[in-house]
Amino acid sequence: MAKFVTTQDQRWASAYLAGFNVEECRLWDKGNLFAGIFKLPKGFVFPHHSHRSWVQIFVLDGQIRVDLDGHEPKSISAGGYYFVEPGDPHVETVEEDLTAFVTTAENREALNEAFI
């Protein structure tokens, strides 16, 4: 089944993530798949965590630093993308107010559990 979400159709809401309330627009949350847009303020930190499944992030606006264990930290800015494999421990720090499109093979509840 096709799904279309125009800018006018987007529904933004406060959501609980990593122990904080953030702005979230859920685009798809069915079965084990999630897609959504998040808005996060500068200085926001996702603490050291990992996921049970892959996660991919496309930065729409702003900048985020990804500290993946065993790798040099990378700053990803607007137009950039990164992919995290299942079980890869990492920390993410928002360096400039961020808007990012996130997709994962985890449902929304499992995505939040990665930070507990």
Side-chain angles (χ1 to χ4, degrees):
M1 173 169 79
K3 181 175 181 177
F4 301 91
V5 180
T6 66
T7 303
Q8 294 78 20
D9 295 334
Q10 291 178 6
R11 298 293 173 251
W12 287 90
S14 180
Y16 186 76
L17 185 64
F20 298 93
N21 285 316
V22 299
E23 288 184 71
E24 173 187 70
C25 176
R26 291 185 193 198
L27 300 172
W28 187 265
D29 191 6
K30 203 173 222 181
N32 286 332
L33 296 174
F34 173 84
I37 306 168
F38 289 92
K39 291 183 180 181
L40 305 167
K42 179 179 179 176
F44 186 93
V45 176
F46 289 107
H48 196 259
H49 67 285
S50 63
H51 300 273
R52 290 182 278 179
S53 188
W54 55 265
V55 177
Q56 56 185 346
I57 294 92
F58 184 82
V59 176
L60 300 167
D61 191 36
Q63 184 169 298
I64 188 167
R65 186 182 74 238
V66 183
D67 295 292
L68 185 65
D69 286 8
H71 298 274
E72 188 72 26
K74 297 280 186 188
S75 290
I76 308 297
S77 57
Y81 162 89
Y82 64 100
F83 182 93
V84 179
E85 294 280 354
D88 278 349
H90 59 286
V91 174
E92 294 152 305
T93 305
V94 176
E95 296 180 314
E96 295 176 16
D97 288 350
L98 182 77
T99 304
F101 175 67
V102 177
T103 60
T104 181
E106 295 179 324
N107 63 28
R108 182 62 178 77
E109 286 69 35
L111 184 62
N112 194 49
E113 288 171 9
F115 304 104
I116 296 174

